[in-house]
Amino acid sequence: RTTRWTELDIQNKGIKNFSPYLWSLRHLTALYLNNNKISRLPAEVSNLQNLKHLDLSNNKLRSLPVELGDMLKLQDLLLSNNSIRLLPYELGRLFQLNRLELDGNPLTPELLQKAREVNGTQKLLQFLLDTLEAPDTPPKRPWVTIRERTGKHMTFTVMCYNILSETLATRTKYGYCPSTALSWDTRKTLIMREILDNKADIIALQEVETEKYTTLFLRELSQHGYAGVFQPKSRAKTVTEEERKHVDGCAIFYNKSKFTLHKDKYIDYSQLAIANSEGADDMINRVQTKDNIGIACCFDIKDTSNASKHQKLIILNTHINWDPEYSDVKLIQNIMFMSEVDAFVQGIKGGYSLPIVVCGDFNSTPDSAVIEFLLKSQISTEHSDFHGLKYHGFLKKANGECLGNKNGTKHFKHNFKLKSCYSEEQLQDLKYTNYTYDFKGILDHILHSKENLRTLGVLGGIDVEWMEANKIIGCPNVHYPSDHFPLVSELELINATR
């Protein structure tokens, strides 16, 4: 029987060199090479990607390979009593390192001083990471043309972008990012440049802090012909005035030369959970505790000469709960969102025949129940993402209009026929809208009504080869100011009726 041991102890053996076989043991989590006569550590050590503990103390090392900085799971790196004079800046990438022992090495005074300070390991790693040379500018994201304009109908562009709020962009959460990349002064300039360069007519943003909506986004964008609507997350009602400044929320900016705001609605999932909690205990236990929100806006189209028969446009923006363990909450929030949008649309002349665009950070991948519900207009009440929890009272309450039977199975429904601006093929090319150490994938989406809108083009994905070649662990970085990448789509109104 094969034994898969995870620790290897080769200490006190007087060894000077290694067998190449050692670097094939990729399952190792701990490697003890201390008290030997090792003078050189080969670059192949980075093959051991699962290594958490590496002890090289009491050897004869004079330098370290830069590839050591690729071993991102390292938590303990013991290098005491060697002959190391310099540390490669790439070591700063080891953001999960808790223990770095360097005593007994002829390091430069600057490095020794930092290492000996309180929280010296973290300060030294931050110094090394901040000193590491920034990568060259990445290639520009391509524009993907899907079909040509007819020239007969109105066209407009939509951007959806989670900008990453200043409060959330911390060293604790993004330890693999240099200080410059996390600095709001740096990030706000790059974010605004990203927004303005895309010249979208509708800009749906998430994680906009309350104070920054007024002092930065509205102020800057109004100079470029935009007006805006903003709502903070529901906790803004319960915190102090000073704390309220930093509560983030959703914003919709619109090109005033094309649109006039007709009506808007604030959708508070926490309050809706309370209102729908009778007979559904987990609405309080799980949904009510999350302060996510949405916004619905109806715009009058100014240029009706080429706007087909439509004179109004519905734009939605939401930010759904992030936690993968709460897939039920994501789904319930989304169901409540579409239910509130239904009521909103019914109160406007034209109702369901109005063109509608849905934007958001849904924190849900394209194959999730959340996106299934949006695209298929229904979801089984027995779907596994509900976890069998107590939502029956809520679902039963909505039974009259929103539940249907299909092969004996009940489904929760919404009354809109939606499709993604990005086809399955384009989603495969897009690959990422969120890029962190823990997760890389598509969480953000732009959808539109099938019958009266069509997609003319979309903004393509980031250059994956560039990310890999530059060993980008996650964003933000000095080129991408958020951990999300914006989506942009050009849409055309068409004359189809419901």
Side-chain angles (χ1 to χ4, degrees):
R1 191 176 75 175
T2 301
T3 301
R4 199 164 179 80
W5 32 266
T6 60
E7 297 189 2
L8 181 59
D9 188 336
I10 320 178
Q11 56 181 321
N12 294 303
K13 302 296 183 183
I15 62 171
K16 297 180 180 180
N17 299 299
F18 307 99
S19 164
Y21 177 72
L22 178 60
W23 314 123
S24 69
L25 303 178
R26 290 177 169 84
H27 60 283
L28 289 179
T29 61
L31 180 58
Y32 299 89
L33 298 170
N34 47 303
N35 297 300
N36 283 296
K37 297 180 180 179
I38 302 165
S39 60
R40 177 182 173 273
L41 185 66
E44 287 78 11
V45 66
S46 64
N47 292 343
L48 307 182
Q49 283 293 305
N50 289 306
L51 212 60
K52 295 182 179 180
H53 182 96
L54 178 57
D55 190 347
L56 287 160
S57 56
N58 299 301
N59 275 286
K60 298 189 177 190
L61 291 171
R62 293 181 175 275
S63 62
L64 299 170
V66 297
E67 289 81 5
L68 199 58
D70 297 334
M71 301 174 69
L72 301 180
K73 292 184 180 179
L74 270 182
Q75 297 176 4
D76 303 305
L77 179 57
L78 312 185
L79 299 168
S80 298
N81 301 316
N82 278 280
S83 301
I84 302 169
R85 294 181 177 276
L86 294 171
L87 298 177
Y89 296 137
E90 285 78 4
L91 284 191
R93 294 160 44 83
L94 302 179
F95 68 101
Q96 300 197 79
L97 202 63
N98 295 317
R99 185 158 60 126
L100 176 61
E101 293 187 358
L102 296 166
D103 289 342
N105 284 285
L107 292 167
T108 64
E110 182 181 26
L111 294 177
L112 282 173
Q113 181 181 350
K114 289 185 180 297
R116 290 168 180 167
E117 292 178 4
V118 178
N119 298 321
T121 294
Q122 298 309 314
K123 290 180 180 178
L124 180 56
L125 291 175
Q126 185 69 64
F127 167 76
L128 294 171
L129 182 61
D130 290 346
T131 311
L132 185 63
E133 185 177 358
D136 292 335
T137 303
K140 191 174 181 180
R141 291 172 64 184
W143 181 258
V144 180
T145 299
I146 297 170
R147 56 177 62 88
E148 298 298 327
R149 301 179 186 181
T150 63
K152 298 178 181 179
H153 306 304
M154 177 189 177
T155 64
F156 60 97
T157 51
V158 179
M159 168 185 271
C160 179
Y161 190 15
N162 181 329
I163 64 165
L164 179 59
S165 75
E166 179 184 14
T167 301
L168 295 177
T170 63
R171 170 73 178 166
T172 301
K173 188 174 181 181
Y174 300 93
Y176 44 82
C177 300
S179 300
T180 303
L182 294 176
S183 162
W184 179 248
D185 284 342
T186 300
R187 292 180 55 234
K188 69 181 181 182
T189 302
L190 295 174
I191 290 167
M192 196 57 62
R193 183 185 302 161
E194 183 83 62
I195 292 171
L196 293 174
D197 284 353
N198 280 287
K199 300 177 181 178
D201 298 304
I202 299 290
I203 304 166
L205 303 180
Q206 302 87 39
E207 291 196 19
V208 176
E209 292 187 6
T210 301
E211 185 177 53
K212 291 177 176 58
Y213 168 75
T214 304
T215 60
L216 174 64
F217 291 97
L218 186 60
R219 185 192 66 198
E220 292 290 327
L221 290 173
S222 64
Q223 297 176 21
H224 294 270
Y226 293 92
V229 176
F230 171 78
Q231 285 292 345
K233 289 180 177 176
S234 55
R235 72 175 180 275
K237 302 172 186 175
T238 62
V239 298
T240 66
E241 185 176 348
E242 183 60 31
E243 291 171 327
R244 194 175 302 125
K245 295 177 181 178
H246 305 289
V247 175
D248 67 279
C250 293
I252 295 176
F253 294 94
Y254 56 96
N255 182 341
K256 293 190 294 183
S257 69
K258 288 191 173 183
F259 305 105
T260 302
L261 182 63
H262 174 75
K263 185 179 181 181
D264 65 334
K265 181 176 185 176
Y266 171 44
I267 301 170
D268 183 337
Y269 302 129
S270 180
Q271 289 299 310
L272 287 169
I274 295 172
N276 290 281
S277 62
E278 186 177 353
D281 294 348
D282 287 311
M283 292 294 280
I284 295 296
N285 299 336
R286 291 173 71 82
V287 183
Q288 185 271 330
T289 58
K290 313 302 179 187
D291 67 345
N292 304 88
I293 58 139
I295 302 176
C297 289
C298 176
F299 294 103
D300 291 315
I301 298 172
K302 284 190 172 183
D303 183 7
T304 56
S305 62
N306 65 350
S308 69
K309 71 186 188 68
H310 305 290
Q311 296 183 354
K312 287 184 170 57
L313 173 67
I314 305 294
I315 301 291
L316 311 177
N317 185 17
T318 189
H319 190 184
I320 297 297
N321 182 251
W322 69 272
D323 195 336
E325 299 298 318
Y326 283 77
S327 61
D328 56 311
V329 173
K330 297 175 194 276
L331 195 46
I332 290 291
Q333 286 180 341
N334 214 36
I335 288 170
M336 293 191 297
F337 181 50
M338 295 310 294
S339 179
E340 291 297 298
V341 170
D342 190 285
F344 177 71
V345 167
Q346 287 191 60
I348 301 168
K349 185 179 179 180
Y352 296 126
S353 67
L354 294 172
I356 182 170
V357 181
V358 185
C359 302
D361 175 1
F362 289 90
N363 275 305
S364 302
T365 55
D367 60 352
S368 66
V370 166
I371 303 305
E372 177 187 339
F373 172 65
L374 288 172
L375 294 179
K376 294 185 177 180
S377 303
Q378 64 178 25
I379 196 78
S380 169
T381 58
E382 303 301 319
H383 196 285
S384 59
D385 275 16
F386 284 119
H387 300 314
L389 295 169
K390 298 177 181 178
Y391 295 115
H392 299 296
F394 164 62
L395 298 174
K396 185 177 180 180
K397 185 177 180 181
N399 185 44
E401 296 179 3
C402 299
L403 282 175
N405 289 306
K406 185 177 181 181
N407 300 326
T409 303
K410 289 185 175 181
H411 286 71
F412 197 97
K413 296 186 175 183
H414 68 76
N415 292 310
F416 304 93
K417 296 178 180 178
L418 303 171
K419 67 178 295 185
S420 173
C421 288
Y422 288 77
S423 67
E424 288 187 17
E425 181 181 354
Q426 287 149 9
L427 286 172
Q428 289 177 0
D429 292 337
L430 184 67
K431 287 189 174 61
Y432 312 115
T433 67
N434 182 233
Y435 201 92
T436 67
Y437 172 72
D438 296 312
F439 177 85
K440 295 174 176 65
I442 296 172
L443 299 178
D444 309 86
H445 303 269
I446 305 178
L447 316 173
H448 66 81
S449 47
K450 290 181 180 180
E451 298 130 320
N452 42 34
L453 286 169
R454 61 183 171 189
T455 304
L456 299 180
V458 293
L459 184 62
I462 58 168
D463 191 302
V464 177
E465 291 184 1
W466 182 90
M467 300 292 274
E468 293 174 351
N470 287 281
K471 300 180 179 180
I472 304 299
I473 300 171
C475 294
N477 61 33
V478 294
H479 300 296
Y480 295 114
S482 173
D483 55 347
H484 289 251
F485 309 120
L487 298 177
V488 182
S489 178
E490 183 180 24
L491 297 164
E492 182 178 44
L493 285 161
I494 54 179
N495 270 321
T497 57
R498 191 177 178 90

Short mmCIF file of all heavy atoms in Angstrom, two decimals, residues 40-71:
data_model
loop_
_atom_site.label_atom_id
_atom_site.label_comp_id
_atom_site.label_asym_id
_atom_site.label_seq_id
_atom_site.Cartn_x
_atom_site.Cartn_y
_atom_site.Cartn_z
N ARG A 40 23.52 26.16 -1.75
CA ARG A 40 22.69 26.68 -2.85
C ARG A 40 21.33 26.01 -2.83
O ARG A 40 21.22 24.79 -2.72
CB ARG A 40 23.37 26.44 -4.20
CG ARG A 40 22.54 26.89 -5.39
CD ARG A 40 23.25 26.58 -6.71
NE ARG A 40 22.37 26.87 -7.84
CZ ARG A 40 21.50 26.01 -8.35
NH1 ARG A 40 21.41 24.78 -7.83
NH2 ARG A 40 20.73 26.35 -9.37
N LEU A 41 20.29 26.83 -2.93
CA LEU A 41 18.92 26.33 -3.02
C LEU A 41 18.45 26.51 -4.46
O LEU A 41 18.36 27.65 -4.94
CB LEU A 41 18.00 27.10 -2.06
CG LEU A 41 16.56 26.60 -1.94
CD1 LEU A 41 16.53 25.21 -1.31
CD2 LEU A 41 15.73 27.58 -1.10
N PRO A 42 18.15 25.43 -5.17
CA PRO A 42 17.79 25.57 -6.59
C PRO A 42 16.40 26.17 -6.77
O PRO A 42 15.54 26.09 -5.89
CB PRO A 42 17.84 24.13 -7.11
CG PRO A 42 17.57 23.29 -5.91
CD PRO A 42 18.19 24.02 -4.75
N ALA A 43 16.18 26.74 -7.95
CA ALA A 43 14.89 27.35 -8.27
C ALA A 43 13.76 26.34 -8.22
O ALA A 43 12.60 26.68 -7.98
CB ALA A 43 14.95 28.00 -9.65
N GLU A 44 14.09 25.05 -8.45
CA GLU A 44 13.07 24.00 -8.48
C GLU A 44 12.35 23.80 -7.15
O GLU A 44 11.34 23.11 -7.08
CB GLU A 44 13.71 22.67 -8.91
CG GLU A 44 14.08 22.59 -10.37
CD GLU A 44 15.37 23.35 -10.69
OE1 GLU A 44 16.08 23.75 -9.73
OE2 GLU A 44 15.67 23.55 -11.88
N VAL A 45 12.86 24.43 -6.08
CA VAL A 45 12.16 24.34 -4.80
C VAL A 45 10.73 24.85 -4.93
O VAL A 45 9.83 24.40 -4.22
CB VAL A 45 12.92 25.15 -3.71
CG1 VAL A 45 12.89 26.63 -4.01
CG2 VAL A 45 12.33 24.87 -2.32
N SER A 46 10.51 25.75 -5.88
CA SER A 46 9.17 26.32 -6.05
C SER A 46 8.17 25.31 -6.62
O SER A 46 6.97 25.59 -6.67
CB SER A 46 9.22 27.55 -6.96
OG SER A 46 9.63 27.20 -8.27
N ASN A 47 8.66 24.12 -7.02
CA ASN A 47 7.73 23.06 -7.44
C ASN A 47 6.88 22.58 -6.28
O ASN A 47 5.79 22.03 -6.48
CB ASN A 47 8.50 21.87 -8.02
CG ASN A 47 9.18 22.19 -9.35
OD1 ASN A 47 8.83 23.17 -10.00
ND2 ASN A 47 10.13 21.36 -9.75
N LEU A 48 7.37 22.78 -5.09
CA LEU A 48 6.68 22.29 -3.89
C LEU A 48 5.62 23.30 -3.46
O LEU A 48 5.72 23.97 -2.42
CB LEU A 48 7.68 22.02 -2.77
CG LEU A 48 8.87 21.12 -3.14
CD1 LEU A 48 9.77 20.90 -1.93
CD2 LEU A 48 8.39 19.78 -3.70
N GLN A 49 4.57 23.40 -4.26
CA GLN A 49 3.57 24.45 -4.08
C GLN A 49 2.69 24.27 -2.85
O GLN A 49 1.98 25.19 -2.45
CB GLN A 49 2.70 24.54 -5.33
CG GLN A 49 3.36 25.25 -6.49
CD GLN A 49 3.59 26.74 -6.22
OE1 GLN A 49 2.67 27.47 -5.90
NE2 GLN A 49 4.84 27.16 -6.34
N ASN A 50 2.70 23.08 -2.26
CA ASN A 50 1.88 22.85 -1.07
C ASN A 50 2.65 23.02 0.24
O ASN A 50 2.10 22.83 1.32
CB ASN A 50 1.26 21.45 -1.12
CG ASN A 50 0.19 21.34 -2.18
OD1 ASN A 50 -0.75 22.13 -2.21
ND2 ASN A 50 0.34 20.37 -3.08
N LEU A 51 3.92 23.39 0.11
CA LEU A 51 4.77 23.50 1.29
C LEU A 51 4.33 24.67 2.18
O LEU A 51 4.17 25.79 1.71
CB LEU A 51 6.22 23.70 0.86
CG LEU A 51 7.31 23.12 1.77
CD1 LEU A 51 7.15 21.61 1.90
CD2 LEU A 51 8.68 23.45 1.22
N LYS A 52 4.16 24.37 3.47
CA LYS A 52 3.80 25.40 4.44
C LYS A 52 4.96 25.70 5.40
O LYS A 52 5.05 26.80 5.93
CB LYS A 52 2.57 24.97 5.25
CG LYS A 52 1.30 24.84 4.42
CD LYS A 52 0.12 24.44 5.29
CE LYS A 52 -1.16 24.33 4.46
NZ LYS A 52 -2.32 23.94 5.31
N HIS A 53 5.82 24.71 5.62
CA HIS A 53 6.94 24.87 6.55
C HIS A 53 8.23 24.46 5.85
O HIS A 53 8.34 23.33 5.36
CB HIS A 53 6.70 24.01 7.80
CG HIS A 53 7.79 24.15 8.82
ND1 HIS A 53 7.69 25.01 9.90
CD2 HIS A 53 9.00 23.54 8.94
CE1 HIS A 53 8.80 24.92 10.63
NE2 HIS A 53 9.60 24.04 10.07
N LEU A 54 9.18 25.38 5.80
CA LEU A 54 10.49 25.11 5.20
C LEU A 54 11.58 25.58 6.16
O LEU A 54 11.69 26.78 6.46
CB LEU A 54 10.62 25.83 3.86
CG LEU A 54 11.96 25.68 3.12
CD1 LEU A 54 12.30 24.21 2.87
CD2 LEU A 54 11.95 26.46 1.82
N ASP A 55 12.37 24.62 6.65
CA ASP A 55 13.45 24.93 7.59
C ASP A 55 14.79 24.73 6.90
O ASP A 55 15.18 23.61 6.57
CB ASP A 55 13.33 24.02 8.82
CG ASP A 55 14.27 24.46 9.95
OD1 ASP A 55 15.17 25.30 9.69
OD2 ASP A 55 14.10 23.99 11.08
N LEU A 56 15.49 25.83 6.67
CA LEU A 56 16.83 25.83 6.07
C LEU A 56 17.87 26.44 7.00
O LEU A 56 18.95 26.85 6.57
CB LEU A 56 16.80 26.60 4.75
CG LEU A 56 16.08 25.91 3.58
CD1 LEU A 56 15.68 26.93 2.52
CD2 LEU A 56 16.96 24.82 2.98
N SER A 57 17.55 26.51 8.27
CA SER A 57 18.46 27.14 9.23
C SER A 57 19.73 26.31 9.40
O SER A 57 19.75 25.10 9.14
CB SER A 57 17.76 27.31 10.59
OG SER A 57 17.28 26.07 11.07
N ASN A 58 20.80 27.01 9.80
CA ASN A 58 22.09 26.37 10.07
C ASN A 58 22.63 25.62 8.85
O ASN A 58 22.94 24.43 8.89
CB ASN A 58 21.99 25.41 11.27
CG ASN A 58 21.59 26.14 12.53
OD1 ASN A 58 22.27 27.07 12.98
ND2 ASN A 58 20.45 25.75 13.10
N ASN A 59 22.71 26.37 7.73
CA ASN A 59 23.33 25.86 6.52
C ASN A 59 24.37 26.87 6.04
O ASN A 59 24.82 27.72 6.83
CB ASN A 59 22.27 25.59 5.46
CG ASN A 59 21.65 24.22 5.61
OD1 ASN A 59 22.27 23.21 5.29
ND2 ASN A 59 20.40 24.17 6.10
N LYS A 60 24.72 26.84 4.77
CA LYS A 60 25.74 27.74 4.25
C LYS A 60 25.21 28.53 3.05
O LYS A 60 25.97 28.86 2.13
CB LYS A 60 26.98 26.95 3.86
CG LYS A 60 27.62 26.23 5.05
CD LYS A 60 28.96 25.62 4.72
CE LYS A 60 29.57 24.99 5.97
NZ LYS A 60 30.96 24.59 5.79
N LEU A 61 23.94 28.83 3.08
CA LEU A 61 23.32 29.56 1.98
C LEU A 61 23.85 30.98 1.91
O LEU A 61 23.94 31.68 2.93
CB LEU A 61 21.80 29.59 2.16
CG LEU A 61 21.06 28.25 2.00
CD1 LEU A 61 19.60 28.42 2.42
CD2 LEU A 61 21.14 27.78 0.55
N ARG A 62 24.17 31.43 0.70
CA ARG A 62 24.62 32.81 0.49
C ARG A 62 23.54 33.65 -0.18
O ARG A 62 23.55 34.87 -0.08
CB ARG A 62 25.89 32.83 -0.38
CG ARG A 62 27.09 32.22 0.31
CD ARG A 62 28.33 32.29 -0.57
NE ARG A 62 29.51 31.81 0.13
CZ ARG A 62 30.26 32.57 0.92
NH1 ARG A 62 29.96 33.85 1.11
NH2 ARG A 62 31.32 32.05 1.53
N SER A 63 22.61 32.98 -0.85
CA SER A 63 21.53 33.70 -1.54
C SER A 63 20.31 32.79 -1.61
O SER A 63 20.38 31.59 -1.31
CB SER A 63 21.97 34.11 -2.95
OG SER A 63 22.25 32.97 -3.73
N LEU A 64 19.22 33.38 -2.05
CA LEU A 64 17.96 32.65 -2.20
C LEU A 64 17.43 32.85 -3.61
O LEU A 64 17.54 33.94 -4.17
CB LEU A 64 16.91 33.16 -1.19
CG LEU A 64 17.26 33.01 0.29
CD1 LEU A 64 16.24 33.76 1.15
CD2 LEU A 64 17.31 31.53 0.69
N PRO A 65 16.81 31.83 -4.19
CA PRO A 65 16.25 31.99 -5.54
C PRO A 65 14.99 32.87 -5.50
O PRO A 65 14.19 32.78 -4.55
CB PRO A 65 15.91 30.56 -5.96
CG PRO A 65 15.64 29.85 -4.67
CD PRO A 65 16.59 30.47 -3.67
N VAL A 66 14.80 33.67 -6.54
CA VAL A 66 13.61 34.52 -6.58
C VAL A 66 12.34 33.67 -6.64
O VAL A 66 11.26 34.11 -6.22
CB VAL A 66 13.65 35.48 -7.80
CG1 VAL A 66 14.82 36.43 -7.69
CG2 VAL A 66 13.70 34.71 -9.11
N GLU A 67 12.45 32.44 -7.13
CA GLU A 67 11.30 31.55 -7.25
C GLU A 67 10.71 31.17 -5.89
O GLU A 67 9.58 30.69 -5.81
CB GLU A 67 11.69 30.28 -8.01
CG GLU A 67 11.93 30.49 -9.50
CD GLU A 67 13.32 31.05 -9.81
OE1 GLU A 67 14.13 31.18 -8.86
OE2 GLU A 67 13.59 31.35 -10.98
N LEU A 68 11.48 31.40 -4.84
CA LEU A 68 10.95 31.13 -3.49
C LEU A 68 9.68 31.96 -3.24
O LEU A 68 8.80 31.55 -2.50
CB LEU A 68 12.03 31.46 -2.45
CG LEU A 68 11.86 30.86 -1.05
CD1 LEU A 68 11.81 29.35 -1.09
CD2 LEU A 68 13.04 31.31 -0.16
N GLY A 69 9.61 33.10 -3.90
CA GLY A 69 8.45 33.97 -3.76
C GLY A 69 7.19 33.44 -4.42
O GLY A 69 6.11 34.02 -4.28
N ASP A 70 7.31 32.32 -5.16
CA ASP A 70 6.13 31.70 -5.79
C ASP A 70 5.46 30.68 -4.88
O ASP A 70 4.40 30.16 -5.22
CB ASP A 70 6.53 31.00 -7.09
CG ASP A 70 7.08 31.98 -8.13
OD1 ASP A 70 6.72 33.17 -8.07
OD2 ASP A 70 7.88 31.54 -8.98
N MET A 71 6.05 30.40 -3.73
CA MET A 71 5.52 29.37 -2.83
C MET A 71 4.52 30.02 -1.87
O MET A 71 4.78 30.23 -0.69
CB MET A 71 6.68 28.69 -2.09
CG MET A 71 7.68 28.06 -3.06
SD MET A 71 9.15 27.38 -2.25
CE MET A 71 8.44 25.99 -1.35
#
